[in-house]
Amino acid sequence: MSRTRIKICGLTREVDVLAAVEAGADALGFVFYPKSPRYVTPGRAAQLAALLPPFVTAVGLFVNEMPEKVAEIVDTVHLSLLQFHGDETPALCHAAAVASGRPFIRAFRVKPETTAEDLIKCNGVYRNASPLFRGLLLDVWSEAYGGAGKVFDWSIVSKETARQAVLSGGLNVQNAAGAVRLVHPFAVDVSSGVEASKGIKDAGKIRAFIEAVRQGDASRVGL
């Protein structure tokens, strides 16, 4: 059984980057959507990403950005992975990934009527559209782009989907272990669930969240 990978998203401060790394995060996310309270400029993100040690991944979150702009930001920040959260088509995601020379994940905002088959179909569409596609990030539906701080019905995530999926949406210290135990995702992604305020992380919450994920992993042994 492999351990669940952990991404902390929406980093804006050096102290939070260092706290996440020390706590054992596998990836850190930087938001390049100007309307987000967690937005950072490429220059600022480059300063923060420079603090990352080997094997901790820098991920860039984009919303409806043109491929040329994505590539420009990748060159500035030296991102390892792209995350698309807008209305990007499979073709546009592929174009941005090719222009940047980076793989990508695609956010799927789960609605109340979404089914397990919908997730499998979407995963297949993006996989057929680009060899640079690495998986879906599953978040709850909201009118705005980005997380809504709420959970969706995890039971619709099939084993086939979970194998390469990133589970997001309303995760926190209280529900992380249960989410990992039920869904068995490849990775989890958290932002507001480890914050003191929007864009300001809480080191204690980060540590507790990662510990909860590890507890979820441990409870899966023997299942």
Side-chain angles (χ1 to χ4, degrees):
M1 183 198 72
S2 63
R3 67 177 180 84
T4 304
R5 269 57 173 184
I6 300 170
K7 173 173 168 281
I8 309 296
C9 196
L11 281 298
T12 63
R13 306 189 303 169
E14 287 89 346
V15 63
D16 297 335
V17 169
L18 296 175
V21 169
E22 182 179 356
D26 299 285
L28 302 186
F30 302 103
V31 178
F32 299 108
Y33 181 47
K35 294 183 179 180
S36 169
R38 301 172 183 88
Y39 169 73
V40 287
T41 65
R44 177 60 173 153
Q47 294 173 340
L48 297 173
L51 300 173
L52 301 184
F55 306 120
V56 176
T57 302
V59 182
L61 188 157
F62 300 91
V63 175
N64 299 331
E65 195 61 84
M66 295 304 296
E68 305 78 35
K69 184 64 175 180
V70 173
E72 180 183 318
I73 292 174
V74 167
D75 286 343
T76 299
V77 187
H78 304 297
L79 300 169
S80 298
L81 183 69
L82 311 177
Q83 180 176 325
F84 297 115
H85 262 263
D87 303 310
E88 300 92 350
T89 63
L92 186 59
C93 290
H94 175 67
V98 169
S100 306
R102 298 292 187 275
F104 72 94
I105 58 177
R106 181 68 169 96
F108 185 110
R109 293 181 286 167
V110 179
K111 296 181 178 180
E113 64 269 25
T114 298
T115 66
E117 290 72 25
D118 293 331
L119 299 182
I120 293 171
K121 180 179 179 180
C122 181
N123 190 75
V125 167
Y126 277 87
R127 195 159 301 284
N128 290 334
S130 177
L132 293 172
F133 173 68
R134 294 295 179 265
L136 295 177
L137 181 142
L138 305 177
D139 202 351
V140 69
W141 168 261
S142 70
E143 293 293 339
Y145 300 115
K150 300 178 182 179
V151 301
F152 62 89
D153 180 6
W154 296 330
S155 68
I156 70 167
V157 184
S158 67
K159 290 183 179 179
E160 178 182 347
T161 300
R163 192 175 299 116
Q164 288 186 294
V166 181
L167 183 64
S168 185
L171 294 178
N172 54 44
V173 174
Q174 288 72 37
N175 63 17
V180 168
R181 187 164 51 247
L182 176 66
V183 181
H184 301 181
F186 179 78
V188 293
D189 185 309
V190 66
S191 184
S192 62
V194 293
E195 288 184 331
S197 60
K198 290 184 178 181
I200 306 299
K201 305 306 182 193
D202 182 300
K205 289 183 179 180
I206 292 174
R207 289 194 299 272
F209 179 83
I210 292 177
E211 289 171 2
V213 173
R214 297 292 165 249
Q215 290 170 6
D217 282 339
S219 69
R220 290 166 50 191
V221 175
L223 292 180

